[in-house]
Amino acid sequence: MKKEERPEEPRVSKDVRKEIRKQGYHVQYYNNPKHYTRSARFNIGYNKLENLGVVRHYIQKRFNINHREFEMILFLYPKLLFDTREYREYPKCFTYRNIKKPMERGLIEIFTNHKKRNKIYRLTKQAKHIVVQFYKYISGELPIPEDPQTNPLFKKDATPMDRKRAEWIKRMNAQLMMIPDRDPEDWSS
């Protein structure tokens, strides 16, 4: 009985496959768990976060926020309203222990201001917009702009690392264009 062969995962390049073979591994899929040879197993279909670093860096540069602020608004986004107790649940550096700093930066605003009760806060429209844009870019719903006016990574004075990220963004957008049911005219919304 001939074993049914599956095509190799296209995400593993030929060079990587050659290197894996040199080290004594091979890319093969087994249906029977009793086959324990020296092989590598791969999970297919869990690649939404492979571009996380590039998308996160673009969002931070585009909206002029740092890594800590970005993580904080990602944490607070699902909470429509929150008080200082909930704000303090998230582990933050000393700068952001007090809620005044993100309020000064325009990321958090007061929703209700009672004198006898705790103040209730919410994310500003700008902070919500940042999170929504991040999710759209990371999921592939929208391509990241390649225009130097809207994307600081494409400016002429960009650092070498930013230029590398700009090349990666071009590859990401090219992959989006190859998806058959995508219409680039729908991306403007």
Side-chain angles (χ1 to χ4, degrees):
M1 186 171 168
K2 191 174 181 181
K3 184 166 72 170
E4 182 182 322
E5 290 186 27
R6 295 182 188 176
E8 291 189 21
E9 168 61 30
R11 309 284 282 171
V12 179
S13 69
K14 290 180 182 180
D15 296 335
V16 172
R17 266 189 252 132
K18 285 179 185 177
E19 195 61 38
I20 289 173
R21 286 187 187 122
K22 284 180 188 175
Q23 295 177 11
Y25 290 93
H26 60 279
V27 179
Q28 193 170 357
Y29 300 90
Y30 295 106
N31 290 334
N32 188 346
K34 292 182 181 178
H35 288 101
Y36 285 108
T37 61
R38 196 169 179 184
S39 65
R41 295 178 184 235
F42 299 97
N43 292 330
I44 302 170
Y46 297 99
N47 55 1
K48 291 287 186 196
L49 297 178
E50 73 179 340
N51 301 318
L52 175 68
V54 174
V55 174
R56 179 188 55 80
H57 192 76
Y58 161 69
I59 290 287
Q60 286 178 222
K61 287 266 189 173
R62 170 83 167 88
F63 295 104
N64 193 24
I65 60 172
N66 63 38
H67 187 70
R68 291 181 178 119
E69 291 170 335
F70 184 59
E71 285 185 350
M72 180 186 59
I73 63 174
L74 285 175
F75 171 75
L76 294 172
Y77 182 76
K79 302 173 186 313
L80 299 175
L81 301 171
F82 54 91
D83 59 4
T84 51
R85 182 186 51 81
E86 289 176 315
Y87 175 78
R88 289 185 185 137
E89 285 177 358
Y90 181 71
K92 297 169 286 307
C93 67
F94 184 75
T95 308
Y96 296 100
R97 283 178 58 192
N98 194 333
I99 203 163
K100 290 179 184 177
K101 178 77 173 179
M103 286 180 68
E104 291 170 3
R105 296 269 296 137
L107 300 172
I108 295 175
E109 63 186 4
I110 297 173
F111 181 69
T112 60
N113 190 3
H114 293 287
K115 291 181 180 177
K116 294 183 180 179
R117 299 183 193 151
N118 286 342
K119 292 179 183 175
I120 305 295
Y121 302 93
R122 67 178 176 189
L123 290 179
T124 61
K125 287 182 182 179
Q126 177 195 7
K128 290 177 185 177
H129 176 72
I130 291 170
V131 174
V132 169
Q133 289 296 306
F134 171 73
Y135 283 138
K136 285 184 178 182
Y137 292 136
I138 200 75
S139 68
E141 289 179 46
L142 285 176
I144 297 177
E146 296 178 16
D147 179 28
Q149 293 177 344
T150 57
N151 190 339
L153 302 179
F154 282 87
K155 290 186 177 178
K156 289 184 180 182
D157 62 342
T159 64
M161 193 64 187
D162 286 348
R163 280 189 237 122
K164 194 80 164 159
R165 288 182 179 115
E167 290 174 19
W168 191 265
I169 288 171
K170 287 180 182 177
R171 260 189 270 146
M172 286 171 46
N173 290 343
Q175 287 177 350
L176 283 177
M177 293 291 283
M178 293 175 18
I179 298 174
D181 59 346
R182 291 281 178 152
D183 185 8
E185 293 177 5
D186 293 341
W187 291 345
S188 60
S189 57

PDB file of all heavy atoms in Angstrom, residues 64-87:
ATOM      1  N   ASN A  64       2.716  58.146  16.120  1.00  0.00           N
ATOM      2  CA  ASN A  64       3.628  58.729  17.093  1.00  0.00           C
ATOM      3  C   ASN A  64       3.329  58.276  18.522  1.00  0.00           C
ATOM      4  O   ASN A  64       3.141  59.086  19.436  1.00  0.00           O
ATOM      5  CB  ASN A  64       3.614  60.264  16.992  1.00  0.00           C
ATOM      6  CG  ASN A  64       4.766  60.880  17.743  1.00  0.00           C
ATOM      7  OD1 ASN A  64       5.789  60.241  17.960  1.00  0.00           O
ATOM      8  ND2 ASN A  64       4.594  62.124  18.163  1.00  0.00           N
ATOM      9  N   ILE A  65       3.248  56.963  18.700  1.00  0.00           N
ATOM     10  CA  ILE A  65       3.082  56.397  20.045  1.00  0.00           C
ATOM     11  C   ILE A  65       4.208  55.404  20.278  1.00  0.00           C
ATOM     12  O   ILE A  65       4.755  54.846  19.336  1.00  0.00           O
ATOM     13  CB  ILE A  65       1.705  55.711  20.240  1.00  0.00           C
ATOM     14  CG1 ILE A  65       1.513  54.561  19.248  1.00  0.00           C
ATOM     15  CG2 ILE A  65       0.578  56.703  20.136  1.00  0.00           C
ATOM     16  CD1 ILE A  65       0.286  53.738  19.507  1.00  0.00           C
ATOM     17  N   ASN A  66       4.545  55.203  21.531  1.00  0.00           N
ATOM     18  CA  ASN A  66       5.604  54.243  21.822  1.00  0.00           C
ATOM     19  C   ASN A  66       5.009  52.863  22.093  1.00  0.00           C
ATOM     20  O   ASN A  66       3.796  52.685  22.145  1.00  0.00           O
ATOM     21  CB  ASN A  66       6.500  54.720  22.976  1.00  0.00           C
ATOM     22  CG  ASN A  66       5.759  54.857  24.280  1.00  0.00           C
ATOM     23  OD1 ASN A  66       4.895  54.060  24.620  1.00  0.00           O
ATOM     24  ND2 ASN A  66       6.105  55.881  25.046  1.00  0.00           N
ATOM     25  N   HIS A  67       5.893  51.891  22.278  1.00  0.00           N
ATOM     26  CA  HIS A  67       5.474  50.497  22.456  1.00  0.00           C
ATOM     27  C   HIS A  67       4.582  50.323  23.683  1.00  0.00           C
ATOM     28  O   HIS A  67       3.592  49.602  23.640  1.00  0.00           O
ATOM     29  CB  HIS A  67       6.725  49.618  22.553  1.00  0.00           C
ATOM     30  CG  HIS A  67       6.450  48.170  22.561  1.00  0.00           C
ATOM     31  ND1 HIS A  67       5.990  47.504  21.457  1.00  0.00           N
ATOM     32  CD2 HIS A  67       6.555  47.251  23.547  1.00  0.00           C
ATOM     33  CE1 HIS A  67       5.832  46.229  21.755  1.00  0.00           C
ATOM     34  NE2 HIS A  67       6.171  46.046  23.017  1.00  0.00           N
ATOM     35  N   ARG A  68       4.924  50.981  24.764  1.00  0.00           N
ATOM     36  CA  ARG A  68       4.149  50.841  26.002  1.00  0.00           C
ATOM     37  C   ARG A  68       2.740  51.414  25.857  1.00  0.00           C
ATOM     38  O   ARG A  68       1.765  50.824  26.319  1.00  0.00           O
ATOM     39  CB  ARG A  68       4.881  51.529  27.147  1.00  0.00           C
ATOM     40  CG  ARG A  68       6.153  50.815  27.525  1.00  0.00           C
ATOM     41  CD  ARG A  68       6.839  51.517  28.676  1.00  0.00           C
ATOM     42  NE  ARG A  68       8.031  50.807  29.051  1.00  0.00           N
ATOM     43  CZ  ARG A  68       9.236  51.318  29.007  1.00  0.00           C
ATOM     44  NH1 ARG A  68       9.411  52.558  28.611  1.00  0.00           N
ATOM     45  NH2 ARG A  68      10.285  50.605  29.360  1.00  0.00           N
ATOM     46  N   GLU A  69       2.641  52.560  25.208  1.00  0.00           N
ATOM     47  CA  GLU A  69       1.322  53.162  24.985  1.00  0.00           C
ATOM     48  C   GLU A  69       0.478  52.274  24.077  1.00  0.00           C
ATOM     49  O   GLU A  69      -0.718  52.098  24.310  1.00  0.00           O
ATOM     50  CB  GLU A  69       1.468  54.545  24.348  1.00  0.00           C
ATOM     51  CG  GLU A  69       2.068  55.576  25.257  1.00  0.00           C
ATOM     52  CD  GLU A  69       2.422  56.856  24.524  1.00  0.00           C
ATOM     53  OE1 GLU A  69       2.655  56.824  23.310  1.00  0.00           O
ATOM     54  OE2 GLU A  69       2.477  57.903  25.212  1.00  0.00           O
ATOM     55  N   PHE A  70       1.114  51.708  23.063  1.00  0.00           N
ATOM     56  CA  PHE A  70       0.388  50.845  22.136  1.00  0.00           C
ATOM     57  C   PHE A  70      -0.149  49.606  22.840  1.00  0.00           C
ATOM     58  O   PHE A  70      -1.316  49.239  22.675  1.00  0.00           O
ATOM     59  CB  PHE A  70       1.300  50.461  20.970  1.00  0.00           C
ATOM     60  CG  PHE A  70       0.614  49.654  19.921  1.00  0.00           C
ATOM     61  CD1 PHE A  70      -0.502  50.137  19.252  1.00  0.00           C
ATOM     62  CD2 PHE A  70       1.077  48.400  19.576  1.00  0.00           C
ATOM     63  CE1 PHE A  70      -1.141  49.405  18.281  1.00  0.00           C
ATOM     64  CE2 PHE A  70       0.452  47.650  18.606  1.00  0.00           C
ATOM     65  CZ  PHE A  70      -0.658  48.154  17.958  1.00  0.00           C
ATOM     66  N   GLU A  71       0.680  48.955  23.639  1.00  0.00           N
ATOM     67  CA  GLU A  71       0.220  47.783  24.393  1.00  0.00           C
ATOM     68  C   GLU A  71      -0.903  48.148  25.364  1.00  0.00           C
ATOM     69  O   GLU A  71      -1.845  47.385  25.549  1.00  0.00           O
ATOM     70  CB  GLU A  71       1.379  47.151  25.152  1.00  0.00           C
ATOM     71  CG  GLU A  71       2.310  46.376  24.280  1.00  0.00           C
ATOM     72  CD  GLU A  71       3.389  45.670  25.068  1.00  0.00           C
ATOM     73  OE1 GLU A  71       3.537  45.938  26.289  1.00  0.00           O
ATOM     74  OE2 GLU A  71       4.088  44.845  24.467  1.00  0.00           O
ATOM     75  N   MET A  72      -0.785  49.320  25.973  1.00  0.00           N
ATOM     76  CA  MET A  72      -1.798  49.756  26.929  1.00  0.00           C
ATOM     77  C   MET A  72      -3.157  49.943  26.242  1.00  0.00           C
ATOM     78  O   MET A  72      -4.177  49.493  26.742  1.00  0.00           O
ATOM     79  CB  MET A  72      -1.364  51.051  27.606  1.00  0.00           C
ATOM     80  CG  MET A  72      -2.355  51.572  28.621  1.00  0.00           C
ATOM     81  SD  MET A  72      -1.880  53.185  29.254  1.00  0.00           S
ATOM     82  CE  MET A  72      -1.841  54.143  27.758  1.00  0.00           C
ATOM     83  N   ILE A  73      -3.175  50.597  25.064  1.00  0.00           N
ATOM     84  CA  ILE A  73      -4.474  50.803  24.416  1.00  0.00           C
ATOM     85  C   ILE A  73      -5.026  49.502  23.850  1.00  0.00           C
ATOM     86  O   ILE A  73      -6.241  49.326  23.778  1.00  0.00           O
ATOM     87  CB  ILE A  73      -4.443  51.922  23.353  1.00  0.00           C
ATOM     88  CG1 ILE A  73      -3.511  51.594  22.206  1.00  0.00           C
ATOM     89  CG2 ILE A  73      -4.121  53.255  23.979  1.00  0.00           C
ATOM     90  CD1 ILE A  73      -3.559  52.591  21.067  1.00  0.00           C
ATOM     91  N   LEU A  74      -4.147  48.554  23.477  1.00  0.00           N
ATOM     92  CA  LEU A  74      -4.638  47.232  23.068  1.00  0.00           C
ATOM     93  C   LEU A  74      -5.304  46.526  24.242  1.00  0.00           C
ATOM     94  O   LEU A  74      -6.315  45.829  24.065  1.00  0.00           O
ATOM     95  CB  LEU A  74      -3.498  46.367  22.517  1.00  0.00           C
ATOM     96  CG  LEU A  74      -2.999  46.703  21.128  1.00  0.00           C
ATOM     97  CD1 LEU A  74      -1.790  45.840  20.781  1.00  0.00           C
ATOM     98  CD2 LEU A  74      -4.086  46.530  20.088  1.00  0.00           C
ATOM     99  N   PHE A  75      -4.757  46.707  25.436  1.00  0.00           N
ATOM    100  CA  PHE A  75      -5.349  46.110  26.638  1.00  0.00           C
ATOM    101  C   PHE A  75      -6.683  46.764  26.981  1.00  0.00           C
ATOM    102  O   PHE A  75      -7.645  46.097  27.349  1.00  0.00           O
ATOM    103  CB  PHE A  75      -4.379  46.244  27.818  1.00  0.00           C
ATOM    104  CG  PHE A  75      -4.964  45.861  29.140  1.00  0.00           C
ATOM    105  CD1 PHE A  75      -5.172  44.541  29.472  1.00  0.00           C
ATOM    106  CD2 PHE A  75      -5.331  46.837  30.055  1.00  0.00           C
ATOM    107  CE1 PHE A  75      -5.727  44.185  30.692  1.00  0.00           C
ATOM    108  CE2 PHE A  75      -5.877  46.501  31.277  1.00  0.00           C
ATOM    109  CZ  PHE A  75      -6.074  45.166  31.602  1.00  0.00           C
ATOM    110  N   LEU A  76      -6.760  48.075  26.851  1.00  0.00           N
ATOM    111  CA  LEU A  76      -7.957  48.806  27.261  1.00  0.00           C
ATOM    112  C   LEU A  76      -9.052  48.824  26.195  1.00  0.00           C
ATOM    113  O   LEU A  76     -10.197  49.136  26.508  1.00  0.00           O
ATOM    114  CB  LEU A  76      -7.592  50.250  27.633  1.00  0.00           C
ATOM    115  CG  LEU A  76      -6.706  50.409  28.863  1.00  0.00           C
ATOM    116  CD1 LEU A  76      -6.264  51.857  29.008  1.00  0.00           C
ATOM    117  CD2 LEU A  76      -7.422  49.929  30.106  1.00  0.00           C
ATOM    118  N   TYR A  77      -8.747  48.511  24.963  1.00  0.00           N
ATOM    119  CA  TYR A  77      -9.730  48.600  23.875  1.00  0.00           C
ATOM    120  C   TYR A  77     -10.997  47.763  24.123  1.00  0.00           C
ATOM    121  O   TYR A  77     -12.101  48.265  23.927  1.00  0.00           O
ATOM    122  CB  TYR A  77      -9.083  48.210  22.547  1.00  0.00           C
ATOM    123  CG  TYR A  77     -10.027  48.319  21.378  1.00  0.00           C
ATOM    124  CD1 TYR A  77     -10.351  49.561  20.844  1.00  0.00           C
ATOM    125  CD2 TYR A  77     -10.585  47.187  20.805  1.00  0.00           C
ATOM    126  CE1 TYR A  77     -11.211  49.676  19.769  1.00  0.00           C
ATOM    127  CE2 TYR A  77     -11.448  47.291  19.730  1.00  0.00           C
ATOM    128  CZ  TYR A  77     -11.762  48.535  19.219  1.00  0.00           C
ATOM    129  OH  TYR A  77     -12.615  48.635  18.158  1.00  0.00           O
ATOM    130  N   PRO A  78     -10.876  46.506  24.575  1.00  0.00           N
ATOM    131  CA  PRO A  78     -12.113  45.735  24.805  1.00  0.00           C
ATOM    132  C   PRO A  78     -12.971  46.282  25.944  1.00  0.00           C
ATOM    133  O   PRO A  78     -14.171  46.032  25.994  1.00  0.00           O
ATOM    134  CB  PRO A  78     -11.627  44.332  25.149  1.00  0.00           C
ATOM    135  CG  PRO A  78     -10.196  44.295  24.823  1.00  0.00           C
ATOM    136  CD  PRO A  78      -9.698  45.688  24.764  1.00  0.00           C
ATOM    137  N   LYS A  79     -12.350  47.023  26.848  1.00  0.00           N
ATOM    138  CA  LYS A  79     -13.113  47.616  27.952  1.00  0.00           C
ATOM    139  C   LYS A  79     -13.687  48.936  27.451  1.00  0.00           C
ATOM    140  O   LYS A  79     -12.955  49.891  27.244  1.00  0.00           O
ATOM    141  CB  LYS A  79     -12.199  47.867  29.149  1.00  0.00           C
ATOM    142  CG  LYS A  79     -11.509  46.626  29.666  1.00  0.00           C
ATOM    143  CD  LYS A  79     -10.496  47.003  30.721  1.00  0.00           C
ATOM    144  CE  LYS A  79      -9.665  45.865  31.193  1.00  0.00           C
ATOM    145  NZ  LYS A  79     -10.306  44.649  31.530  1.00  0.00           N
ATOM    146  N   LEU A  80     -14.957  48.995  27.267  1.00  0.00           N
ATOM    147  CA  LEU A  80     -15.567  50.226  26.769  1.00  0.00           C
ATOM    148  C   LEU A  80     -15.383  51.365  27.752  1.00  0.00           C
ATOM    149  O   LEU A  80     -15.077  52.490  27.375  1.00  0.00           O
ATOM    150  CB  LEU A  80     -17.042  49.997  26.478  1.00  0.00           C
ATOM    151  CG  LEU A  80     -17.347  48.942  25.418  1.00  0.00           C
ATOM    152  CD1 LEU A  80     -18.840  48.722  25.307  1.00  0.00           C
ATOM    153  CD2 LEU A  80     -16.765  49.353  24.086  1.00  0.00           C
ATOM    154  N   LEU A  81     -15.608  51.066  29.027  1.00  0.00           N
ATOM    155  CA  LEU A  81     -15.426  52.038  30.108  1.00  0.00           C
ATOM    156  C   LEU A  81     -14.603  51.368  31.200  1.00  0.00           C
ATOM    157  O   LEU A  81     -14.718  50.165  31.425  1.00  0.00           O
ATOM    158  CB  LEU A  81     -16.775  52.477  30.669  1.00  0.00           C
ATOM    159  CG  LEU A  81     -17.749  53.119  29.683  1.00  0.00           C
ATOM    160  CD1 LEU A  81     -19.117  53.302  30.326  1.00  0.00           C
ATOM    161  CD2 LEU A  81     -17.214  54.436  29.179  1.00  0.00           C
ATOM    162  N   PHE A  82     -13.800  52.142  31.896  1.00  0.00           N
ATOM    163  CA  PHE A  82     -12.980  51.575  32.966  1.00  0.00           C
ATOM    164  C   PHE A  82     -12.701  52.645  34.008  1.00  0.00           C
ATOM    165  O   PHE A  82     -12.807  53.841  33.749  1.00  0.00           O
ATOM    166  CB  PHE A  82     -11.673  50.993  32.411  1.00  0.00           C
ATOM    167  CG  PHE A  82     -10.876  51.966  31.592  1.00  0.00           C
ATOM    168  CD1 PHE A  82      -9.907  52.761  32.165  1.00  0.00           C
ATOM    169  CD2 PHE A  82     -11.108  52.089  30.228  1.00  0.00           C
ATOM    170  CE1 PHE A  82      -9.178  53.663  31.410  1.00  0.00           C
ATOM    171  CE2 PHE A  82     -10.380  52.979  29.458  1.00  0.00           C
ATOM    172  CZ  PHE A  82      -9.417  53.766  30.049  1.00  0.00           C
ATOM    173  N   ASP A  83     -12.369  52.195  35.206  1.00  0.00           N
ATOM    174  CA  ASP A  83     -12.003  53.133  36.270  1.00  0.00           C
ATOM    175  C   ASP A  83     -10.508  52.975  36.553  1.00  0.00           C
ATOM    176  O   ASP A  83      -9.820  52.199  35.896  1.00  0.00           O
ATOM    177  CB  ASP A  83     -12.850  52.907  37.522  1.00  0.00           C
ATOM    178  CG  ASP A  83     -12.716  51.510  38.091  1.00  0.00           C
ATOM    179  OD1 ASP A  83     -11.910  50.725  37.560  1.00  0.00           O
ATOM    180  OD2 ASP A  83     -13.422  51.197  39.062  1.00  0.00           O
ATOM    181  N   THR A  84     -10.026  53.715  37.539  1.00  0.00           N
ATOM    182  CA  THR A  84      -8.593  53.685  37.823  1.00  0.00           C
ATOM    183  C   THR A  84      -8.141  52.307  38.307  1.00  0.00           C
ATOM    184  O   THR A  84      -7.014  51.892  38.030  1.00  0.00           O
ATOM    185  CB  THR A  84      -8.214  54.744  38.869  1.00  0.00           C
ATOM    186  OG1 THR A  84      -9.064  54.610  39.996  1.00  0.00           O
ATOM    187  CG2 THR A  84      -8.320  56.129  38.296  1.00  0.00           C
ATOM    188  N   ARG A  85      -9.019  51.588  38.993  1.00  0.00           N
ATOM    189  CA  ARG A  85      -8.670  50.240  39.466  1.00  0.00           C
ATOM    190  C   ARG A  85      -8.392  49.320  38.276  1.00  0.00           C
ATOM    191  O   ARG A  85      -7.394  48.598  38.247  1.00  0.00           O
ATOM    192  CB  ARG A  85      -9.803  49.672  40.326  1.00  0.00           C
ATOM    193  CG  ARG A  85      -9.523  48.295  40.906  1.00  0.00           C
ATOM    194  CD  ARG A  85     -10.745  47.718  41.617  1.00  0.00           C
ATOM    195  NE  ARG A  85     -11.949  47.750  40.814  1.00  0.00           N
ATOM    196  CZ  ARG A  85     -12.254  46.839  39.857  1.00  0.00           C
ATOM    197  NH1 ARG A  85     -11.427  45.856  39.609  1.00  0.00           N
ATOM    198  NH2 ARG A  85     -13.379  46.920  39.177  1.00  0.00           N
ATOM    199  N   GLU A  86      -9.247  49.359  37.269  1.00  0.00           N
ATOM    200  CA  GLU A  86      -9.042  48.524  36.084  1.00  0.00           C
ATOM    201  C   GLU A  86      -7.822  48.988  35.281  1.00  0.00           C
ATOM    202  O   GLU A  86      -7.121  48.179  34.696  1.00  0.00           O
ATOM    203  CB  GLU A  86     -10.284  48.541  35.196  1.00  0.00           C
ATOM    204  CG  GLU A  86     -11.456  47.788  35.799  1.00  0.00           C
ATOM    205  CD  GLU A  86     -12.702  47.897  34.954  1.00  0.00           C
ATOM    206  OE1 GLU A  86     -13.015  49.020  34.498  1.00  0.00           O
ATOM    207  OE2 GLU A  86     -13.355  46.868  34.754  1.00  0.00           O
ATOM    208  N   TYR A  87      -7.591  50.277  35.272  1.00  0.00           N
ATOM    209  CA  TYR A  87      -6.417  50.807  34.577  1.00  0.00           C
ATOM    210  C   TYR A  87      -5.141  50.288  35.231  1.00  0.00           C
ATOM    211  O   TYR A  87      -4.180  49.961  34.558  1.00  0.00           O
ATOM    212  CB  TYR A  87      -6.440  52.335  34.597  1.00  0.00           C
ATOM    213  CG  TYR A  87      -5.199  52.959  34.015  1.00  0.00           C
ATOM    214  CD1 TYR A  87      -5.021  53.024  32.644  1.00  0.00           C
ATOM    215  CD2 TYR A  87      -4.201  53.472  34.834  1.00  0.00           C
ATOM    216  CE1 TYR A  87      -3.876  53.598  32.095  1.00  0.00           C
ATOM    217  CE2 TYR A  87      -3.062  54.038  34.301  1.00  0.00           C
ATOM    218  CZ  TYR A  87      -2.903  54.100  32.935  1.00  0.00           C
ATOM    219  OH  TYR A  87      -1.773  54.653  32.399  1.00  0.00           O
TER     220      TYR A  87
END
